[in-house]
Amino acid sequence: MVSDSAIHSLAGAAGGIVAMSATYPLIVLSTRAAVNVKNDSKNVAQHFLEIVKREGVVGLYSGLSPSLLGIAVTNGVYYYFYERSRGIILNSRQGSKALNMMESMLAGVVAGSATTIISNPIWVIQTSQAVRVEPSPSELSNSHAVPKRPSILRTIQAIIAKDGLNGLFRGLGPALVLVINPVLQYTVFEQLKNFLIKKRTLKLRARGSGSVVAVLSDWDFFVLGAFSKLVATGSTYPYIVLKSRLQAGQARAEQYKSSLHGLATILKEEGIQGLYKGVGSKLLQSVFAAAILFAVQRRIYELTKKAITSLS
């Protein structure tokens, strides 16, 4: 019999792939903006057109392959550890089968830390590919040529040649700090979900519906997923900028002595806007991706559970 945690893990991975594929151009835009140390007045649309003109439409999907692997691993591992932690917490106490805020945060920290350490090498490769193109000899003499994107293998070789195996764990410090992002996201999501279910259940029972419990719709999950991600990403974006610069192997980022020193340096050299470069496209991507993820993950989970139950 397949465990509930395993089904959540598979559904989370599948949902993550769908969400990532649908919103990936926004990730490329936000990542390139985040690692750019120059103050740039161009808006999202202008950057979009610039990439298409210089690299073609494929430029908007630079690093997609490691991203799909990364998001499958990230969501799969996160859902697995979150549901396992949730189960352990609920089995250790009596009463309500809903997590309170502190319990949600604890489960999120455990799941987020495990996920960050396991998936960091994948995101280093993805970030390096998303921000980097390399010209071939013919392209150097032809200003109209489309720049060549490095392959995954070539990217890994370049990272290891420069920094050794430790290079695959660049940005792990701020990435671990960013564990608070999914913790905030899932905590806000869980609490709002529980609040809605409780409120609607009370309304149903007040109308004489007996012991019925309210069920949320796909639209409810879409809105809750979008709002929870908006809160999480908006609160932690400066660390996302710092992580992107370190994972991309940016020369100036290598001078950062710590996460706090990096944030202070960016603030001093680029102003407060430096800590929020690419925030517009990142928020848009995060909100849409989270909304799609929660809606798709729930539907895949239910279908998988039903199929397994019918087979057994």
Side-chain angles (χ1 to χ4, degrees):
M1 182 69 178
V2 181
S3 70
D4 204 51
S5 295
I7 299 173
H8 271 288
S9 179
L10 290 171
I17 288 173
V18 173
M20 174 67 76
S21 300
T23 62
Y24 193 75
L26 290 169
I27 293 177
V28 171
L29 288 168
S30 65
T31 302
R32 293 194 184 189
V35 302
N36 183 14
V37 297
K38 298 177 182 178
N39 287 324
D40 196 342
S41 60
K42 294 178 182 176
N43 58 36
V44 174
Q46 288 172 319
H47 281 295
F48 179 92
L49 293 173
E50 188 178 80
I51 292 174
V52 172
K53 181 179 179 181
R54 182 167 180 260
E55 303 168 40
V57 175
V58 292
L60 295 170
Y61 292 89
S62 299
L64 178 61
S65 296
S67 277
L68 293 180
L69 173 61
I71 204 66
V73 171
T74 297
N75 282 291
V77 171
Y78 190 92
Y79 271 105
Y80 179 79
F81 278 97
Y82 186 86
E83 290 301 323
R84 292 287 285 187
S85 300
R86 181 175 179 274
I88 291 171
I89 292 169
L90 293 177
N91 290 332
S92 68
R93 63 168 172 77
Q94 299 287 327
S96 172
K97 290 302 178 182
L99 298 181
N100 61 37
M101 183 170 287
M102 289 305 297
E103 290 170 338
S104 291
M105 291 180 71
L106 176 60
V109 167
V110 172
S113 299
T115 302
T116 296
I117 294 169
I118 291 170
S119 65
N120 196 78
I122 299 173
W123 295 117
V124 169
I125 295 165
Q126 181 273 328
T127 304
S128 297
Q129 285 204 307
V131 302
R132 199 167 293 156
V133 291
E134 51 184 22
S136 64
S138 62
E139 290 167 350
L140 288 171
S141 60
N142 183 0
S143 60
H144 298 291
V146 176
K148 179 185 176 183
R149 290 176 295 146
S151 65
I152 293 176
L153 181 59
R154 190 177 181 87
T155 301
I156 295 172
Q157 290 173 334
I159 292 168
I160 294 176
K162 182 183 178 185
D163 298 318
L165 289 176
N166 287 338
L168 294 172
F169 290 91
R170 290 190 308 226
L172 182 59
L176 284 171
V177 173
L178 282 168
V179 165
I180 192 66
N181 189 299
V183 170
L184 280 173
Q185 177 187 350
Y186 284 95
T187 299
V188 172
F189 179 84
E190 281 285 326
Q191 297 310 307
L192 288 177
K193 182 186 74 173
N194 293 338
F195 172 77
L196 271 181
I197 291 174
K198 184 177 180 180
K199 183 178 179 181
R200 292 180 183 178
T201 297
L202 289 174
K203 282 186 177 181
L204 287 172
R205 292 180 180 179
R207 295 171 188 166
S209 299
S211 59
V212 68
V213 177
V215 177
L216 300 184
S217 66
D218 286 342
W219 176 248
D220 291 323
F221 278 90
F222 187 92
V223 173
L224 290 178
F227 181 77
S228 61
K229 191 61 177 180
L230 179 64
V231 172
T233 301
S235 304
T236 59
Y237 193 76
Y239 272 95
I240 294 176
V241 170
L242 182 63
K243 177 177 71 75
S244 295
R245 294 187 179 191
L246 288 168
Q247 289 185 337
Q250 189 191 67
R252 190 169 298 183
E254 293 176 357
Q255 300 171 10
Y256 301 157
K257 298 175 183 177
S258 65
S259 294
L260 289 178
H261 178 256
L263 293 174
T265 301
I266 295 171
L267 185 62
K268 180 181 178 181
E269 295 180 352
E270 303 169 46
I272 189 70
Q273 67 268 29
L275 296 173
Y276 289 91
K277 286 183 174 177
V279 68
S281 51
K282 180 61 179 177
L283 283 175
L284 190 61
Q285 183 274 329
S286 295
V287 168
F288 275 114
I292 294 168
L293 171 61
F294 278 114
V296 173
Q297 187 272 340
R298 172 176 169 267
R299 182 59 63 193
I300 293 174
Y301 170 80
E302 290 175 348
L303 291 173
T304 305
K305 185 86 171 177
K306 186 177 180 180
I308 292 174
T309 302
S310 63
L311 287 173
S312 59

